[in-house]
Amino acid sequence: MSGAGDGIEALLPYRMNRLLARLNRGLTERLRAVGHTFQDWRLLAILWTHDGATINQLAEAAVLPQPTASPLAAKLEEDGLVARSGDHGDQRKVVVTLTDKGRAAYRVMLPHAIAEYEAAMAGFTAEERRALFGAVDRMAANVGMRYWPES
């Protein structure tokens, strides 16, 4: 461990959690100003890359309990941002896809997410950014985490 002595501040997970909470709060404020929520962003951003994800995949990728992800997807469907349907191979699975309106909303939200990220990465060189990503990927592998859940 490194950091501030032997207190909680010396624990990297504590520091990472605090940092992510602050970044998420900043993005929440930016998104609210353009009529969206952080939860909208969370699911639409995942679907942008993994359109046709199941509710379970969305829940795992968004780090949400499945009982929370399902109503969020239902709200996005009510808003016309996604469509939900049964999986052709397994009717117990619900598949979520972006609509044209959802793609447009994502394009509005994306610059705000990039701005929040760039503010946090200010002053980092390209080499430092690669090293940070490498370290995070290595930590994820060490704890058996995959960035995209299996179906």
Side-chain angles (χ1 to χ4, degrees):
M1 290 194 312
S2 65
D6 61 357
I8 194 167
E9 293 85 6
L11 299 173
L12 185 59
Y14 170 79
R15 288 176 174 221
M16 291 171 70
N17 188 47
R18 292 287 313 258
L19 174 61
L20 290 175
R22 175 57 189 93
L23 290 171
N24 291 345
R25 187 172 55 247
L27 182 54
T28 295
E29 293 166 8
R30 289 175 186 266
L31 293 174
R32 187 177 300 129
V34 294
H36 292 287
T37 69
F38 182 77
Q39 300 298 5
D40 294 346
W41 161 256
R42 206 173 199 174
L43 278 106
L44 294 181
I46 292 165
L47 289 170
W48 182 264
T49 306
H50 299 282
D51 205 18
T54 66
I55 291 289
N56 288 341
Q57 288 172 320
L58 280 175
E60 188 174 336
V63 193
L64 293 169
Q66 193 279 340
T68 301
S70 193
L72 286 173
K75 181 200 170 295
L76 291 175
E77 184 176 44
E78 281 178 27
D79 294 344
L81 302 175
V82 303
R84 295 181 304 158
S85 61
D87 183 307
H88 299 297
D90 184 349
Q91 290 300 313
R92 295 171 298 170
K93 290 183 180 177
V94 174
V95 175
V96 184
T97 56
L98 283 171
T99 63
D100 288 342
K101 184 176 178 182
R103 283 183 196 79
Y106 173 81
R107 286 186 195 102
V108 167
M109 291 184 247
L110 182 59
H112 299 281
I114 291 170
E116 193 66 29
Y117 166 75
E118 288 299 333
M121 296 298 289
F124 281 73
T125 66
E127 184 177 328
E128 289 171 325
R129 288 176 185 228
R130 280 191 301 275
L132 180 58
F133 270 79
V136 169
D137 287 347
R138 188 170 171 187
M139 289 177 70
N142 286 345
V143 298
M145 191 189 93
R146 296 181 318 268
Y147 289 106
W148 181 246
E150 299 296 320
S151 47

